[in-house]
Amino acid sequence: MNALNDVSPQSLRTRITKHLTYTLGKDKSHASLYDWRMAVSYSVRDIVIEPWFAATRKTYEAQGKRVYYLSLEFLIGRILGDAMTSLGLFDTVREILDDEGISLWDVIEDEPDAALGNGGLGRLAACFLESMSTLACPAYGYGIRYEHGLFRQKFENGSQVELPEDWLNQPNPWEFERPESRYTIPFKGHVEQADGKSVWYAAETVYARAYDMPVVGWQGKWANTLRLWGAHPTEMFDLERFNSGDYTAAAAPEALARTLSRVLYPEDTTESGKELRLKQEYFLTSAALQDILRRFLSEYDDLSLLPDKVAIQMNDTHPALAGPELIRLLMDVHGLAWEDAKRIALGCLNYTNHTLLPEALETWSTWLMGRVLPRHMQIIERIDAEHQSETNCAPDLAIVQHDHVHMGTLAFVMASHVNGVSALHTDLMKETVFAGLNGVYPSRIINQTNGVTPRRWVRLSNPALSKVLTDTIGAGWESDLDRLADLAAHEEDHDVRDAIGAAKRHNKVALSNWVGEKMGMSLNPDAMFDVQIKRIHEYKRQLMNVFETIARWSAIRANPQGDWTPRVKIFGGKAAPGYFVAKDIIHFINDVAKTINNDPVTADLLQVVYPANYNVSMAQRLIPATDLSEQISTAGKEASGTGNMKFTMNGALTIGTLDGANVEIREHVGAENFFLFGMTAAQVQDRYQVTDHARQAILASQPLQDILQMIAEGRFSPTDKGRYLPLVDAMWNHDPFLVASDFDSYLACQAQVDRAYTDADQWNRLALRNIAGSGFFSSDRTIKGYMADIWDTKSLA
Ligand code: 7GP
């Protein structure tokens, strides 16, 4: 069933011309880049259809279990390049377009990023979808078809400005609208008891309509579906009002409904607390569960079999209403008894936790929950009562506390398995936030360390390194990443080390050209490219990196003739619009960049680059060109990280703390090939016991005092000298993420990195070892873990 067998270059050429002519209605002499992109996308999509249908057929025939991955976020990025890579069509399409005088790269760049997510959690969901297809695990992703994905970031005088994102402004060639697949989603109203049954009389309803995107796996052997729901009105517009001339009121029902799938909440770690957000969570969850039950009942009639046929994964607590909603559908719609409904729901559901930060643990007031979802509030109370009486737990383990529904507890109680996303994170779940629940539901918590797809993150984004890998260890590593370990046997081969170095340099030159075009800066590709890209958050400690940059700058200025290792410091990332401290950090990085980049004394030795609007596509550009990966969060705060894995696969060395998956990366690549600094999670806990930890640490560090002094004097904000006084004050008096306490250790470690970089051959050796040790971090390994330990599903390959 390999779709590739019958794709000849000639047939593809014909397809593209046909789509240009008949789908786009253009002849070649008038076709724009957009037209070409659409024609190519439709042609590549055509080739995905066959494995897509075949996968559906096989799944029906096998009568096995299907996986349903429910997520409010899918950060999929661009699709065309990825699909061509999976199908092995990259070179063919490039040649076809070359003949037409069109550049494939321009076509790829014309596609907007599908930014239906904020950060790690959303990108993980996208990697998982791809791996499930590669592994022929029958699965659906369920999400929301946001009309506006994550905001576009722009800098104005160094500050972040958010602009609306508009990816659906043009037709999306990868989606199939399914008007026939639609479900009614109720809200509000009241519940009545009749004949021992509960009847919910909703006051508002919207339709959820399905939009399907095929997700093709490696070599086109299998394709699953990402089903995104769009909200549509249940009532058409009000003709009477329209005829009387009140056009705005006439369109009101439509506007109201569509609001539900209009925007992605641009929060990554804080609860938004908005009614609309709760409605979005329910909208996705209810549509998905209705669809799951409809599909199940089309094949079976005994609902008690549901847990044998359906595994549902809740991606964080955002879809945690799945517990009460599944019980509601089974009882109120399908007539099951409470005990049966609850047992079945529990048998299907699982929950992944992605953060221990207290501000990110969702709660909803019982008042709001009761108003928006009155029937669910009843069900939640009954789940809670049984949970408390069955476990005899302490009151602080209740689902409802102080008039708030704790979604983490609800998800936990209604899940067969609860998993963390790295070994350390899972341990900390058991010891901290979920210690009590772990006590009353022992062995429910398990670990599944995150992974990333090597197809997008190495093969597609780093063709230069991919070639070196295939030349050295042979073909096939893309779907068997443990094979990268074979590289280790080539460590003594000078040519291999050189080739790895040459691939890196090639990528750095390409990145330099891009930065030159976009930002008018000219970078030195022989300098060390030192990169920190991720959401801007205090716990990720971008501030510590900037402080080190300032220390470096001062040191060079004090001794310009010294033996310095040239560096380019690269930052990328967005801040949640309401997270003002993070936005100040962005402003600060840009101010520091401006000061340093204008200093002729340090120009050849230090540059600071912060391209605006970091997204998946930018990550694909930056990661292959990185020498040093910054993974410097306060130990215990980063659940896993996934960027850290992408860098390692691409031969960057890591400077990092013992946090999240860094711990496992270091184990896999070897401690001597990893630049470790800073306190451990346990030491961090002890440090917090010292009330004036920040002051003490600053007083003990001359470099840090000097840096804070410069900032306080306004060196980086000459037109507004007091701009960063609050930042300096917060450092002395609060420093909630222990930047000061880890700073000297970080500085010393960075000096070690400088020394290591001066020996290019040795650096390439370390890079080789990092690549060789990165096989474990393929999301294929992660998905196999979920299939075996959580879903109990089999590959249909
Ligand atoms: C992130 C975690 O911060 C990151 O460490 C992890 O690698 C990633 O999930 C995938 O597991 N969390 C989020 O993106 C997030 O929004 C709030 O968490 C619920």
Side-chain angles (χ1 to χ4, degrees):
M1 198 195 23
N2 191 333
L4 309 180
N5 300 338
D6 32 293
V7 184
S8 69
Q10 190 45 45
S11 71
L12 194 56
R13 190 187 300 270
T14 311
R15 246 184 226 285
I16 293 173
T17 310
K18 273 196 172 167
H19 275 300
L20 200 59
T21 313
Y22 298 107
T23 312
L24 278 304
K26 285 285 182 78
D27 66 29
K28 285 183 184 172
S29 54
H30 292 97
S32 64
L33 195 56
Y34 163 81
D35 296 321
W36 280 107
R37 170 168 68 84
M38 296 300 273
V40 172
S41 299
Y42 285 125
S43 306
V44 173
R45 189 186 77 174
D46 288 350
I47 298 162
V48 176
I49 301 292
E50 195 191 309
W52 197 28
F53 286 0
T56 308
R57 251 191 334 266
K58 269 202 165 183
T59 304
Y60 270 97
E61 281 160 20
Q63 300 236 312
K65 214 185 217 185
R66 290 184 180 86
V67 173
Y68 295 100
Y69 199 85
L70 270 59
S71 179
L72 267 281
E73 301 190 13
F74 285 95
L75 193 39
I76 44 190
R78 288 180 177 142
I79 297 169
L80 176 60
D82 195 50
M84 288 189 306
T85 303
S86 299
L87 296 169
L89 294 175
F90 221 97
D91 294 334
T92 314
V93 175
R94 189 181 37 227
E95 281 159 24
I96 294 171
L97 290 177
D98 276 350
D99 291 348
E100 306 290 346
I102 304 287
S103 137
L104 174 58
W105 287 109
D106 290 348
V107 166
I108 288 176
E109 294 278 307
D110 186 61
E111 181 177 346
D113 265 47
L116 311 183
N118 283 293
L121 168 154
R123 182 55 230 175
L124 186 77
C127 283
F128 279 9
L129 282 181
E130 198 273 353
S131 274
M132 289 189 285
S133 290
T134 290
L135 294 171
C137 167
Y140 283 78
Y142 280 122
I144 294 182
R145 182 181 180 268
Y146 302 107
E147 283 174 47
H148 304 286
L150 186 59
F151 66 87
R152 201 151 56 76
Q153 178 194 55
K154 185 174 113 171
F155 296 140
E156 264 175 23
N157 301 319
S159 295
Q160 170 174 295
V161 173
E162 300 98 27
L163 303 170
E165 185 278 345
D166 214 8
W167 75 300
L168 289 177
N169 184 21
Q170 298 167 338
N172 173 6
W174 300 100
E175 78 180 2
F176 293 88
E177 187 170 357
R178 308 287 192 206
E180 78 284 4
S181 287
R182 108 184 160 182
Y183 300 95
T184 304
I185 313 297
F187 297 102
K188 301 191 174 170
H190 68 283
V191 181
E192 284 177 19
Q193 303 299 126
D195 308 330
K197 286 185 77 176
S198 298
V199 183
W200 175 14
Y201 294 92
E204 284 174 20
T205 53
V206 299
Y207 284 136
R209 175 184 292 186
Y211 294 77
D212 288 349
M213 293 167 84
V215 180
V216 67
W218 178 239
Q219 295 186 326
K221 292 180 188 149
W222 188 272
N224 285 319
T225 303
L226 171 58
R227 174 160 276 199
L228 300 176
W229 301 101
H232 291 265
T234 43
E235 293 167 50
M236 275 328 293
F237 74 96
D238 192 329
L239 190 60
E240 213 172 299
R241 283 208 161 124
F242 188 88
N243 288 340
S244 72
D246 190 351
Y247 304 122
T248 312
E254 166 142 33
L256 203 67
R258 290 184 55 180
T259 310
L260 266 181
S261 52
R262 185 96 62 197
V263 290
L264 164 77
Y265 270 90
E267 304 287 335
D268 59 344
T269 45
T270 54
E271 180 214 331
S272 65
K274 298 277 191 323
E275 175 176 328
L276 185 58
R277 169 72 179 194
L278 178 61
K279 284 176 140 183
Q280 282 188 333
E281 292 182 355
Y282 180 61
F283 172 77
L284 161 67
T285 305
S286 179
L289 286 169
Q290 292 188 59
D291 201 38
I292 292 168
L293 287 178
R294 194 247 334 129
R295 187 170 302 110
F296 174 85
L297 289 170
S298 74
E299 291 177 85
Y300 312 96
D301 46 21
D302 179 1
L303 279 163
S304 70
L305 291 177
L306 201 69
D308 299 335
K309 305 293 174 188
V310 166
I312 298 171
Q313 196 66 33
M314 299 185 275
N315 197 24
D316 217 86
T317 56
H318 316 144
L321 285 164
E325 173 66 358
L326 186 47
I327 292 177
R328 180 186 80 85
L329 292 169
L330 291 175
M331 288 182 74
D332 299 359
V333 179
H334 298 285
L336 268 61
W338 167 265
E339 291 73 21
D340 296 331
K342 189 175 149 197
R343 183 174 31 79
I344 292 170
L346 189 60
C348 296
L349 293 166
N350 305 287
Y351 155 52
T352 306
N353 173 276
H354 292 273
T355 180
L356 300 172
L357 296 184
E359 64 270 32
L361 299 173
E362 281 187 302
T363 63
W364 300 103
S365 77
T366 49
W367 175 82
L368 182 64
M369 185 71 83
R371 203 165 57 89
V372 176
L373 300 169
R375 177 66 180 130
H376 297 77
M377 195 60 236
Q378 292 177 339
I379 294 172
I380 289 168
E381 277 165 355
R382 187 157 173 197
I383 296 171
D384 197 16
E386 292 184 358
H387 151 63
Q388 292 185 57
S389 69
E390 283 164 14
T391 64
N392 205 2
C393 64
D396 66 345
L397 295 186
I399 297 171
V400 179
Q401 287 176 52
H402 309 297
D403 301 319
H404 279 77
V405 182
H406 288 244
M407 301 303 273
T409 309
L410 175 64
F412 196 110
V413 169
M414 285 305 300
S416 290
H417 300 281
V418 175
N419 77 285
V421 291
S422 74
L424 175 66
H425 168 63
T426 301
D427 288 344
L428 292 173
M429 280 173 74
K430 292 182 191 165
E431 287 164 22
T432 62
V433 183
F434 293 105
L437 288 167
N438 186 44
V440 295
Y441 298 104
S443 73
R444 192 167 286 196
I445 300 183
I446 60 170
N447 179 244
Q448 296 296 343
T449 298
N450 284 167
V452 301
T453 168
R455 274 74 66 181
R456 179 179 292 259
W457 293 107
V458 182
R459 180 63 195 258
L460 168 62
S461 55
N462 198 344
L465 178 64
S466 297
K467 179 164 183 333
V468 176
L469 295 177
T470 304
D471 289 350
T472 311
I473 60 170
W477 51 271
E478 295 93 335
S479 54
D480 183 10
L481 208 65
D482 287 332
R483 291 239 345 261
L484 291 183
D486 295 351
L487 260 189
H490 300 267
E491 184 180 319
E492 299 307 329
D493 186 336
H494 206 285
D495 292 343
V496 172
R497 297 199 304 272
D498 279 355
I500 287 175
K504 183 64 74 182
R505 191 161 194 294
H506 170 89
N507 297 332
K508 289 169 72 176
V509 170
L511 177 63
S512 305
N513 292 339
W514 180 78
V515 168
E517 270 167 41
K518 292 277 164 191
M519 308 179 70
M521 278 176 83
S522 145
L523 304 183
N524 168 13
D526 291 315
M528 183 199 308
F529 282 18
D530 166 343
V531 179
Q532 188 174 21
I533 44 175
K534 45 185 82 244
R535 287 295 286 242
I536 309 300
H537 206 293
E538 291 162 275
Y539 84 79
K540 295 178 189 280
R541 299 199 292 193
Q542 280 93 356
L543 208 48
M544 189 160 73
N545 190 351
V546 194
F547 288 171
E548 195 272 339
T549 310
I550 295 173
R552 179 175 293 273
W553 179 60
S554 308
I556 301 174
R557 282 172 61 85
N559 177 17
Q561 302 315 320
D563 189 14
W564 301 106
T565 302
R567 284 215 203 195
V568 178
K569 287 262 186 183
I570 302 176
F571 293 86
K574 297 177 183 180
Y579 185 179
F580 297 107
V581 177
K583 293 175 100 170
D584 286 345
I585 294 172
I586 291 179
H587 197 178
F588 182 56
I589 299 172
N590 280 322
D591 275 347
V592 169
K594 193 168 163 190
T595 310
I596 293 180
N597 294 339
N598 285 318
D599 184 350
V601 178
T602 56
D604 295 334
L605 297 170
L606 183 62
Q607 292 177 296
V608 185
V609 185
Y610 192 169
N613 200 38
Y614 173 68
N615 59 10
V616 173
S617 296
M618 196 192 290
Q620 289 177 219
R621 221 181 256 293
L622 294 176
I623 291 169
T626 297
D627 296 304
L628 185 68
S629 153
E630 299 266 357
Q631 308 299 336
I632 60 178
S633 51
T634 319
K637 302 293 179 191
E638 188 71 272
S640 162
T642 45
N644 47 3
M645 302 168 183
K646 297 166 195 167
F647 281 114
T648 304
M649 279 177 198
N650 281 280
L653 309 197
T654 305
I655 182 165
T657 48
L658 281 179
D659 199 13
N662 294 354
V663 177
E664 289 156 85
I665 291 177
R666 181 165 166 271
E667 283 165 10
H668 279 89
V669 306
E672 66 286 7
N673 307 308
F674 184 106
F675 297 100
L676 179 71
F677 75 96
M679 291 176 284
T680 62
Q683 290 167 336
V684 163
Q685 282 320 309
D686 291 344
R687 188 69 189 165
Y688 281 128
Q689 303 308 311
V690 180
T691 32
D692 60 344
H693 55 79
R695 181 165 300 271
Q696 282 187 21
I698 297 169
L699 290 175
S701 168
Q702 193 58 50
L704 190 50
Q705 281 176 48
D706 295 346
I707 293 161
L708 293 175
Q709 182 67 30
M710 287 165 78
I711 301 169
E713 284 169 3
R715 280 295 287 279
F716 305 101
S717 51
T719 56
D720 177 12
K721 288 191 182 308
R723 181 178 293 158
Y724 297 112
L725 283 176
L727 187 151
V728 173
D729 180 73
M731 275 304 302
W732 279 94
N733 296 307
H734 303 291
D735 189 19
F737 295 100
L738 307 179
V739 170
S741 300
D742 266 346
F743 189 69
D744 283 2
S745 167
Y746 180 57
L747 214 56
C749 194
Q750 286 285 20
Q752 225 185 304
V753 175
D754 281 329
R755 284 191 295 278
Y757 194 74
T758 55
D759 184 346
D761 186 48
Q762 177 63 13
W763 186 274
N764 292 339
R765 183 188 291 270
L766 299 185
L768 178 148
R769 291 182 188 160
N770 270 266
I771 301 167
S774 70
F776 180 76
F777 301 99
S778 166
S779 43
D780 297 347
R781 186 267 309 146
T782 315
I783 288 299
K784 284 180 191 161
Y786 278 77
M787 290 173 72
D789 307 340
I790 301 182
W791 301 331
D792 191 22
T793 45
K794 301 230 163 4
S795 162
L796 294 185

